[in-house]
Structures are given as C-alpha cells and as structure tokens.
Amino acid sequence: MSVLPFADRPGTVARLRDALLAADFTADGLLELLGAPAYAALARSETVPALRATRGDTPLETLVRLFLLQQPVGHARVAAVLPVAECLEDGWLTRAGQDEVAATVDVRPYGGPGGEDWFIVSDLGCAVGGAGGIGRHDEGVVLGVGGASTTLAGITVRTPVAAALDLGTGSGIQALHAAQHATRVTATDVNPRALHITALTLALSGAPAADLREGSLFTPLRDDETYDLIVSNPPFVISPGARLTYRDGGMGGDDLCRTLVQQAGERLNEGGFAQFLANWQHVEGEEWQERLRSWAPQGCDAWIVQREVQDVTQYAELWLRDAGDHRGDAADYQARYDAWLDEFEARKVKAVGFGWITLRRTGAATPSVTVEEWPHPVEQPLGETVRAHFARLDHLRARDDAALLEECFRLAPEIVQEQVGLPGAEDPEHVVLRQNRGMRRATKVDTVAAGFAGVCDGSLTAGRILDAIAQLMGEDPVLLRDRTPAQIRLLVEQGFLEPAQ
C-alpha cells in the first residue's frame, strides 16, 4: 500500500480542490466526458472504455488518467492543471520514471444529495466499494464507495441533529453525509489507515473535520457518550477468519452484527436513530425472523428489512471473488472454499440474509419490532420514508380503535389500485393497492378496505366512511366498525394511508 498524503496541510488541500473543480473533475463532468457506458463501466472497476475516452490532453482527461485510471502522466502536463510541487511534497503525487508523476491514492468525484461536489479518497485500485476481484490481499486496504455505501447513505434519516456517529467509517462517505446535518460528527474505525483517509475525504470535499477515533465497535467512546444518529456499514461478511479488515469483523458467524445492534440502543438519545447494513445467518431449526427479533435492544423500536438471501455456496463464491481468490492458485481457492463450507456446516447455516436494520430510541412501554422480507425495487433515497414509518408507529400507538375511527385519513400520494381476476368476471378475485414511491409496497385488500382507501381525502372520519360503506353493502355498521380497524392500522403502518392532521 502506498504512503498516504498528509491530512494536516489545509492549504495544499484547498488548492488541490480548487484545481479539481476548475477542471470540472466532478461527477457531472465525468459523465459528460466519458459518456454513460464508459462512466458505468468505471463504476464496475472496468477501465478500458475510460482509457479510450481520455486519449486527449484536456485538463479533465489528465485528471481522469491520473486519479481514476492510475496511469503515470507527464510532469509538465500535470503541472498545467495542479499545483504539482505541493502535491508531490504533501504526498498526493509521487514521481514515476524520469519525467512522469503518479497518484498515491484514488480520488473519485461524488455528487452530494444537494448537488455538492465531493471527492472520495481510497487506496489505489479500490475506489469501487469492494475489491472487485482485483487480487488485493492487504489487510488494511481502504475501499471507496460501492453499492452498500450508497444504499446506507440513501436509507439514513437526514434530520438536523446535534451529534452523529459513523462507526467503521472506511473512506468516510457516511461521515461526509452526516456532516451536512449534524453539528458534531464522530468517526471510528479499527484501521488507522481508514481514519487517515476519512480525514482526506472530508478535507478535499470541503466538509468540516470529524472527531476521528481508533478502535472496534463502541470501544473508542466514553461511557457517557450518546448520539442522535448512529450509522454503520460494518465488516459484516460471515467468513472463517478475519483476513481482510474491510469486510471481516473477526467474530464468529453473525456475532459482530448482533453485537453492534444490541449495543447501539444504550448509545442513542431519545428519538435517535441507528441504521446499519448487516448479514445474518439462516440456521437450521430456527426462524430467521425470530433470530433477528432477539437482536433488538430494549427501549428501541426496530425495523429490519431482508433484501436478499443467498445459499452458502453462492455466498462463499461471492466473497472469494471479491478478494480475488479465484484468480490465484486453484488448489488454494478450493481450500478456502472448503473452509467456508466447513464453517457454515459447523454452525448449521443453510443461507445468509442481507438487509437493513433501523433502530429508534423510544420511551414507549412496548417497543415495536418489525421484521420483514422485501426483495423488490425501492425508490432511493429512503431516509424520509424511514422517518415517516416510525412517526406513523407513534401515531398508531397513541390511539385505541375508538380514537382511530374518529380520525380523518388521506390516501398517500401515487397510490394506484389494481384489480385482478378472470377476463369478463363480474367481480375481481382480489384488489391490490400499490405504491409508486418509497418502498413501493403492494398489499392485497378486501372490498371494504379498497373502498375505504378510495374515499379517504381528509374530509370524513374513518367511522363515518365505514358507516356509509356498511349502508351501501347492507352490512351491520357496528360489526364493520369492530373488524376494520386492524386493516386501517396496517394501511397506515405501511404508508398507504396518512393521518390528515
């Protein structure tokens, strides 16, 4: 691994940032220069299309070759774009050959949610969130932004907070996002190289510095430290060992993710959120939902969403390829593969799940724990959807059925109704309500619930709507009022209906 640039030279960093922006070395600038196919290929760590698209000598092409494609570039050509003497002195560049320079780190443009021009620093060849089979086995390698990083950033609740914690910061992308809405950001990592790179990412992106601390999980924190937001994309891979720091947590099975979730509750302020990505084991003889329910800490609502499941062979192959083991000696690859399967067999693991875990500290006597499987497409960013989910829980928890029927509701935006049945049939076999935003849920409802949802415009109470439906259907209004609140609660909880006030 290369020697890293100095993180405490603000003058050089500021001039480097100005030079990058002046050359339009931004996410939008890259897309315009490379074109969509080459830009997408670069995100997959495929460089050939980008090499072909940067055969000119413009400042932007020079920077792409230097920082993204890791090609040596002529000293004079770089000097026309960057403060090359300072960048050499402070370690951003190194001499290569007689009259060329090369980058010591990958610097990748990243567009912030508000149109900000940010730069994510990572180790050379590791800009895209997993090693991608590049054959890197350095234990302390620091990766850039991949699908997991952007997923977590997208689901995180973005309300203004006093204190945020990025646990296992890596290249600093979560800390960078948090700095936009948190007064104080603390970032921790067991890898000191990651903390150094996080400092570079924040400085080069023009963001405030974070409080950087070395250590595992919550050990770097004082006993009395609590936060309004905790985020973590931890080293969640379930593997037979701790060979690669960026992905292997060093605990057996899914113990690291379980420990992280269980310890997070006591670190949250009232109303605070903790949001994680995680893997979990599907163990023979256990319901995976109950396994995850047991992780939820006391005093916290929890919403756990399983997005994907892989059998143990798929899972082992994925992460062996991630480390580049498939490109090495065949016998070594087979031995490593066998070790993964031995580990799973010993633990009676038949599959591994991946998904999101959100905790919210609550004073409720009986916290809500929702565990569900939702492998379908969603609309990112989901932060507001997550916040609204817990707000609706609070709303429903404060109202018994009688109070619920005295409320007015509105159909949420962009809800459509689908009727499914045989062609020519007088009545549909079933009715489905479908969201076109957020989680994009679909739920099957009966005639009463469909009619109720269709009438909800905030002007009539739920009870009056049910009375009208009972009259139209010739049903007893008292019985209808008794049996319908459970359906209303479900439609509100899942975001199909919203309280009118």
Side-chain angles (χ1 to χ4, degrees):
M1 291 183 288
S2 64
V3 175
L4 294 174
F6 290 109
D8 56 354
R9 306 286 179 89
T12 300
V13 173
R15 284 183 283 277
L16 175 57
R17 174 176 170 79
D18 288 345
L20 297 178
L21 294 175
D24 203 20
F25 188 65
T26 64
D28 289 341
L30 286 183
L31 181 59
E32 183 175 349
L33 171 68
L34 301 178
Y39 187 78
L42 194 61
R44 301 189 300 269
S45 293
E46 295 290 349
T47 60
V48 172
L51 284 167
R52 293 173 61 86
T54 55
R55 290 178 286 196
D57 58 0
T58 67
L60 181 54
E61 287 169 298
T62 297
L63 294 176
V64 172
R65 287 235 162 196
L66 186 67
F67 285 117
L68 299 189
L69 303 179
Q70 279 96 58
Q71 300 292 306
V73 181
H75 184 284
R77 182 175 168 185
V78 175
V81 184
L82 300 178
V84 67
E86 288 180 88
C87 289
L88 283 166
E89 182 179 352
D90 288 2
W92 291 93
L93 302 176
T94 187
R95 296 191 181 276
Q98 289 189 337
D99 196 32
E100 292 182 320
V101 296
T104 59
V105 289
D106 190 301
V107 176
R108 185 151 306 217
Y110 180 90
E116 302 91 349
D117 290 315
W118 292 340
F119 300 99
I120 310 302
V121 180
S122 63
D123 273 313
L124 294 173
C126 296
V128 181
I134 59 175
R136 293 289 296 270
H137 295 286
D138 297 321
E139 181 179 329
V141 69
V142 179
L143 306 184
V145 177
S149 300
T150 55
T151 294
L152 179 59
I155 68 173
T156 299
V157 176
R158 298 295 176 193
T159 54
V161 295
L165 171 64
D166 176 14
L167 194 152
T169 187
S171 60
I173 180 60
Q174 308 306 330
L176 182 55
H177 275 280
Q180 310 309 303
H181 63 101
T183 303
R184 175 173 59 88
V185 176
T186 301
T188 70
D189 205 290
V190 71
N191 182 3
R193 188 176 181 86
L195 296 175
H196 191 125
I197 284 181
T198 290
L200 296 174
T201 290
L202 293 172
L204 195 57
S205 298
D211 179 5
L212 304 175
R213 305 187 196 178
E214 182 181 346
S216 176
L217 298 179
F218 296 100
T219 55
L221 307 184
R222 298 188 309 271
D223 290 343
D224 61 346
E225 282 188 275
T226 56
Y227 294 86
D228 307 297
L229 174 67
I230 300 172
V231 292
S232 182
N233 177 18
F236 53 66
V237 177
I238 301 171
S239 62
R243 187 162 59 105
L244 300 174
T245 303
Y246 74 85
R247 71 172 200 192
D248 302 322
M251 296 187 185
D254 52 17
D255 285 353
L256 182 135
C257 290
R258 176 184 55 79
T259 301
L260 174 61
V261 173
Q262 291 180 337
Q263 292 182 356
E266 62 188 23
R267 293 292 183 173
L268 283 176
N269 294 324
E270 187 72 19
F273 286 91
Q275 299 186 261
F276 316 108
L277 302 184
N279 274 176
W280 43 78
Q281 297 172 151
H282 286 225
V283 180
E284 292 180 15
E286 294 184 20
E287 292 291 336
W288 68 268
Q289 295 94 332
E290 293 308 310
R291 179 183 186 83
L292 289 175
R293 284 182 186 279
S294 71
W295 289 13
Q298 291 184 346
C300 288
D301 291 325
W303 183 19
I304 302 173
V305 182
Q306 180 167 275
R307 296 287 290 159
E308 184 180 357
V309 182
Q310 291 182 313
D311 67 49
V312 292
T313 59
Q314 292 174 311
Y315 188 80
E317 290 163 14
L318 169 67
W319 293 108
L320 287 167
R321 289 178 176 274
D322 173 85
D325 291 324
H326 63 303
R327 295 181 177 178
D329 180 78
D332 286 344
Y333 173 77
Q334 291 176 1
R336 291 191 188 279
Y337 198 153
D338 204 36
W340 282 65
L341 297 186
D342 282 344
E343 178 83 2
F344 287 131
E345 184 177 345
R347 294 180 175 274
K348 299 183 178 180
V349 176
K350 58 183 179 180
V352 177
F354 167 81
W356 319 325
I357 298 177
T358 299
L359 308 176
R360 198 271 306 260
R361 189 78 186 176
T362 179
T366 306
S368 167
V369 178
T370 301
V371 181
E372 62 176 316
E373 185 165 23
W374 188 251
H376 310 294
V378 299
E379 182 189 44
Q380 286 274 35
L382 274 171
E384 176 55 25
T385 298
V386 173
R387 186 207 62 77
H389 168 86
F390 288 93
R392 291 192 302 270
L393 285 182
D394 285 343
H395 189 88
L396 292 171
R397 196 155 40 199
R399 288 156 177 80
D400 61 16
D401 288 353
L404 196 72
L405 293 177
E406 292 302 313
E407 277 206 86
C408 298
F409 297 94
R410 289 194 184 93
L411 191 66
E414 298 194 42
I415 303 293
V416 298
Q417 177 177 301
E418 300 173 358
Q419 297 188 165
V420 180
L422 294 173
E426 183 176 349
D427 296 312
E429 292 180 14
H430 59 263
V431 178
V432 173
L433 299 181
R434 187 178 300 277
Q435 301 169 344
N436 285 319
R437 303 295 301 273
M439 290 292 287
R440 293 180 173 167
R441 295 185 184 277
T443 187
K444 187 163 63 174
V445 294
D446 62 17
T447 305
V448 171
F452 179 88
V455 174
C456 283
D457 62 2
S459 63
L460 296 174
T461 66
R464 290 186 61 186
I465 293 173
L466 290 179
D467 291 343
I469 291 175
Q471 186 174 3
L472 286 172
M473 298 181 65
E475 289 201 32
D476 185 330
V478 175
L479 294 178
L480 195 61
R481 278 174 171 258
D482 284 344
R483 78 167 192 260
T484 307
Q487 293 185 71
I488 297 175
R489 286 184 182 277
L490 183 61
L491 291 176
V492 173
E493 181 180 336
Q494 295 188 341
F496 291 94
L497 295 177
E498 300 173 346
Q501 296 181 348

